[in-house]
Amino acid sequence: EADFYDEAATEAQTVCGTLAAGPVEDLLSFHGRDFIDRFESEARQDRRMAWVLGGAWQFEMSDEIWNRVRLAADDTYWKRKTS
């Protein structure tokens, strides 16, 4: 877990960032109603999933799905990267 919050770039950050900015955004944009419950559940159980959600952008997600993503997300790392 420390790899996710390390100041230096890590493989974990790269992999999860790639997932967030592609497959997760796409899946939730086009099939959000079918999958958001699973993402929320996993994010509660595993901070890594919360971290991935924190790196996703709204893209084509409905406002309803996007709001649920934001509530489940841990965006502390991502906010630090943009500051």
Side-chain angles (χ1 to χ4, degrees), residues 11-51:
E11 184 176 3
Q13 293 170 358
T14 300
V15 169
C16 288
T18 301
L19 286 172
V24 169
E25 285 177 6
D26 291 346
L27 184 63
L28 291 173
S29 288
F30 302 113
H31 304 286
R33 289 188 187 273
D34 295 328
F35 289 95
I36 188 62
D37 291 339
R38 294 180 223 182
F39 277 95
E40 289 170 322
S41 177
E42 189 64 28
R44 282 190 298 272
Q45 296 174 36
D46 189 334
R47 286 185 67 189
R48 293 172 296 187
M49 180 56 73
W51 192 88

Side-chain angles (χ1 to χ4, degrees), residues 66-77:
W66 179 240
N67 289 333
R68 290 175 68 178
V69 167
R70 301 311 316 140
L71 289 171
D74 173 0
D75 61 0
T76 54
Y77 168 78

